[in-house]
């Protein structure tokens, strides 16, 4: 039969055995039989005639109190140091409490205490606690409060020793910190830990490090200080893991940052410029790491770096020789050098930080577009285009490998992004591209396409569509040539003993000037031209062919000297030379009559032939016009001679023309933009309109306001828009 | 050394003694269904003899009741978290009241 029924119990007797058991548990002396205690507690609680729960609780409480007092005595009288004794006693006590709570008094906890706690009105602090909580509270009130200053002091000293680098028993500190947290768990606010321990810790930290940092800076200088600061921050972080609760880590970090970095940030920032000049990249890296921990630490650094980059950039450009007509190669390579130099610095020392990359972009932008050489003109994109031309043309003195070439071109594209007036670049590039394609002087088609892809990525499809069409034209032309040959054989026609090939180009895509004068084609060629015209018109009705003789070339064989030479000449030169087939001496009047070249072209062509020593200028004092004679004594080392090259160089006047063309294009573009905007908005006022226009055209070029105004005027004249009546600055779309 | 090996062997074995001295051998893990028993055995570093010797003597629980309780341990362990229907847990009428008190005592 079970005797778990309620029965009468002798309170004191049972309590005695319970007390003995508790004492053993709390002091951890010997093993205890749990079941006996559990049963005793149970019996007391279910006793007849009424349960002894309350007196049991009171007794437990008193027991705790006396026990704790005794422990306090032991701690105070101990010979070993206070902190270790404290921790020893604490450990025994806290574990014992836990056992009491979970096992022995489990029944009491669950049935009576919880009821009492729940019965209490909500909001009032309980005065009946679980046994473990009761134990902790007793400890806190009776022991800790009396001894705390001594114990805290001990801990402080230990921490200080640790900072100074001595070996410390840091398990003590960790255990102590944990004990505080546990004691705090009985309260609602983390009183002990926060107020007393944490504050003292943080204060000490702040004081210690501010002293140390100032003295260190004055003794060892900034660069050593930076390294030391980093080490200290690491150290304290590890220390915090051991000595502080998770909740305090953030506060500690902020204090460390403030004391070590914020207070000295001006010093650090001012050193930056010196480091840049001396290229002390490691120091810069340290400084960057430290300053990035505090807010706003890097802002002055950003400005310094940007100014420095600009300064270096402008200086480098200053040092380029021949300011009015600089060599494209030197110019571009200087800019590239600067860009690469600083971009590697940013990667190494600034961790490729985005804000630094931004200021590099800004600085390069300024350097590129506002430097000594460009000033009022837009020389930068022109020079860049010329540089591309040099890279892409065949016959370079230094033949680069394809990979190298691709790399150089990619770098050019990087610089291209910084150009403000991209349409200038486009114009020049297309001109040079057309020349390269016509004369077949580009290094390789792949490289050209590579460059165009790069430009497309940087600037959009529209920009490079013309270039692509140029390529298509060339491909188509080879096909057309084939077809023409077949046409000839099928018709059984012949064009004489002339090897004839043409390039058919769509006039919209190619930026070639149409010829300024009409040229009478030499008779030898007329057959070919008419045959081809017939062929082409049979193929494509409705298309008009415009012959650009000033760009055509011919290979001609000479027989007027002992050796026969092969000359490559332009069509104009050809025209003149063929005249000598019939006569030995020709006057310039006759040349004009036969070829119908204008004055300017004529003199140029003749000059080039004279320079090539093909014809001689015979002085005839009688007639007013010049006389020319074939040079029968012509000798050249090579059998194949290129006479056409001298005519192909670009003259400054041509550059002028290009710029004029660009201006015209810009005006048209602006007008188109204005019309587009007005169409969408219907009405708009002057200032807003200008802003919109600038916004839209920013990708291509920077328009200036007078130009925009002029375009608006022109549109008003053309009656696309009109001024609103009465209001002077509003426009209406018609 | 020998002590440890004994402990290892005994680590899962628990002996429960009823008030009349009957010995019941069962698995420790099974007995954790009872909160009271669990608190005695499960503490690490515990100072309780019960844990060290792996035996508990119940002065107040009779043999048939203890037997039923142990059966319940196994029953609960087997069918907790199961998706099948639970079979009926047979309880002899005579021991119902005592079983109730014991269950309350053992926090089962």
């Amino acid at each position: 039969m079970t005797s778990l029924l309620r029965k009468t119990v002798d309170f004191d007797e049972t309590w005695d055995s319970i007390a003995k058991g508790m004492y053993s548990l709390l002091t951890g002396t010997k093993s205890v039989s749990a079941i006996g205690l559990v049963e005793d507690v149970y019996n007391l609680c279910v006793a007849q005639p009424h349960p002894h729960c309350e007196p049991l609780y009171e007794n437990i409480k008193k027991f705790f109190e006396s026990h704790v007092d005794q422990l306090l005595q032991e701690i105070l009288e101990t010979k070993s140091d206070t902190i270790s004794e404290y921790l020893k006693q604490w450990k025994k006590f806290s574990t014992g409490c836990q056992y009491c709570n979970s096992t022995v008094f489990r029944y009491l906890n669950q049935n009576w205490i919880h009821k009492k706690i729940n019965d209490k009105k909500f909001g009032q602090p309980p005065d009946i606690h679980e046994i473990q909580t009761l134990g902790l509270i007793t400890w806190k009130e009776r022991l800790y409060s009396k001894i705390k200053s001594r114990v805290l002091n001990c801990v402080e000293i230990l921490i200080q020793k640790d900072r100074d680098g001595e070996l410390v028993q840091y398990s003590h500190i960790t255990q102590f910190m944990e004990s505080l947290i546990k004691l705090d768990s009985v309260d609602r606010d983390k009183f002990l830990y926060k107020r007393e321990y944490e504050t003292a810790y943080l204060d000490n930290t702040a004081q210690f490090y501010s002293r140390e940092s100032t003295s260190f800076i004055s003794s060892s200088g900034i660069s050593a200080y930076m390294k030391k600061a980093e080490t200290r921050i690491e150290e304290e972080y590890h220390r915090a893991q051991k000595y502080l609760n998770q909740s305090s880590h953030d506060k500690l970090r902020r204090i460390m940052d403030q004391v070590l970095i914020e207070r000295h940030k001006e010093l650090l920032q001012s050193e930056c410029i010196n480091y840049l000049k001396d290229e002390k990249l490691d120091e810069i890296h340290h400084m960057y790491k430290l300053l990035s921990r505090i807010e706003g630490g890097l802002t002055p650094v950003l400005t310094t770096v940007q100014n420095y980059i600009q300064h270096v950039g402008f200086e480098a450009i200053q040092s380029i020789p021949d300011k009015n007509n600089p060599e494209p190669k030197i110019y571009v390579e200087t800019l590239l050098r600067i860009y690469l130099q600083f971009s590697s610095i940013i990667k190494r020392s600034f961790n490729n930080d985005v804000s630094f990359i931004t200021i590099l972009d800004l600085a390069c932008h300024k350097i590129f577009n506002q430097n000594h050489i460009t000033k009022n003109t837009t020389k930068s994109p022109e020079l860049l285009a010329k540089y591309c031309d040099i890279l892409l043309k065949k016959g370079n003195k230094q033949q680069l490998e394809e990979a190298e070439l691709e790399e150089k071109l990619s770098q050019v594209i990087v610089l291209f992004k910084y150009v403000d007036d991209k349409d200038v670049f486009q114009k020049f590039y297309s001109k040079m591209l057309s020349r390269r394609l016509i004369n077949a002087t580009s290094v390789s088609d792949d490289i050209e396409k590579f460059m165009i892809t790069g430009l497309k990525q940087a600037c959009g499809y529209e920009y490079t569509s013309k270039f692509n069409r140029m390529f298509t034209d060339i491909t188509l032309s080879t096909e057309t040539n084939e077809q023409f040959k077949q046409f000839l054989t099928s018709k059984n026609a012949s064009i004489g003993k002339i090897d004839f090939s043409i390039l058919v180009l769509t006039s919209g895509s190619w930026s070639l000037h149409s010829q300024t004068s009409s040229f009478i084609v030499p008779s030898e060629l007329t057959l070919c031209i008419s045959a081809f015209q017939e062929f082409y018109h049979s193929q494509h009705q409705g298309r008009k062919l415009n012959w650009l003789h000033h760009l055509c070339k011919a290979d001609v064989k000479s027989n007027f000297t002992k050796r026969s030479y092969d000359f490559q000449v332009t069509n104009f030169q050809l025209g003149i030379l063929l005249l000598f087939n019939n006569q030995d001496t020709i006057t310039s009047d006759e040349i004009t009559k036969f070829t119908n070249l204008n004055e300017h072209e004529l003199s140029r062509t003749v000059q080039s032939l004279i320079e090539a020593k093909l014809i001689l200028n015979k002085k005839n004092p009688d007639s007013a016009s010049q006389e020319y004679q074939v040079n029968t004594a012509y000798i050249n080392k090579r059998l194949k001679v290129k006479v056409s090259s001298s005519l192909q160089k670009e003259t400054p006047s041509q550059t002028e023309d290009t710029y004029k063309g660009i201006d015209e294009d810009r005006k048209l573009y602006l007008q188109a933009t204005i019309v587009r905007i007005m169409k969408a908005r219907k009405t708009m006022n002057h200032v807003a309109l200008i802003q919109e226009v600038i916004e839209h055209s920013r990708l291509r070029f920077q328009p200036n306001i007078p130009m925009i105004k002029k375009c608006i005027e022109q549109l008003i004249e053309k009656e696309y828009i009109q001024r609103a009546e009465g209001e002077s600055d509003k426009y209406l779309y018609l | 050394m020998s002590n440890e090996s004994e402990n290892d062997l005994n680590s899962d074995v628990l002996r429960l003694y009823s008030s009349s001295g009957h010995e019941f051998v069962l698995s420790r893990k099974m007995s954790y269904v009872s909160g009271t028993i669990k608190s005695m055995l499960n503490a690490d570093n515990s100072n309780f003899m019960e844990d060290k010797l792996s035996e508990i003597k119940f002065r107040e629980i009779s043999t048939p009741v203890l037997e039923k309780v142990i059966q319940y341990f196994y029953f609960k362990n087997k069918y907790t978290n199961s998706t099948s229907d639970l079979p009926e847990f047979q309880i002899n009428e005579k021991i119902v009241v005592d079983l109730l008190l014991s269950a309350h005592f053992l926090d089962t």
Side-chain angles (χ1 to χ4, degrees), chain B residues 46-84:
Chain B
S46 88
N47 238 341
F48 294 129
M49 267 166 39
E50 280 75 13
D51 186 31
K52 293 207 178 104
L53 300 175
S54 281
E55 58 182 40
I56 306 182
K57 299 192 173 85
F58 293 107
R59 297 182 303 206
E60 321 255 344
I61 306 184
S62 68
T63 315
V65 172
L66 188 55
E67 185 180 9
K68 216 50 181 177
V69 168
I70 295 176
Q71 277 176 11
Y72 179 71
F73 289 161
Y74 279 91
F75 180 81
K76 175 137 190 215
N77 263 311
K78 186 170 172 194
Y79 289 109
T80 306
N81 287 336
S82 93
T83 46
S84 53

Side-chain angles (χ1 to χ4, degrees), chain B residues 36-53:
Chain B
T36 318
I37 298 184
K38 183 175 175 187
S39 68
M40 286 192 240
L41 302 178
N42 214 8
D44 30 81
N45 256 346
S46 88
N47 238 341
F48 294 129
M49 267 166 39
E50 280 75 13
D51 186 31
K52 293 207 178 104
L53 300 175

Side-chain angles (χ1 to χ4, degrees), chain A residues 9-26:
Chain A
V9 204
D10 184 356
F11 181 77
D12 293 314
E13 209 183 294
T14 332
W15 167 249
D16 258 344
S17 65
I18 291 182
K20 279 201 204 98
M22 273 185 75
Y23 186 75
S24 320
L25 275 179
L26 288 177

Side-chain angles (χ1 to χ4, degrees), chain A residues 474-498:
Chain A
I474 300 283
T475 338
L476 281 179
S477 297
T478 30
E479 275 183 35
T480 319
N481 270 327
E482 282 300 315
Q483 289 170 345
F484 179 59
K485 288 207 176 73
Q486 283 175 0
F487 173 81
L488 285 180
T489 43
S490 72
K491 284 257 175 146
N492 230 356
S494 104
I495 43 175
K497 297 193 218 113
I498 303 180

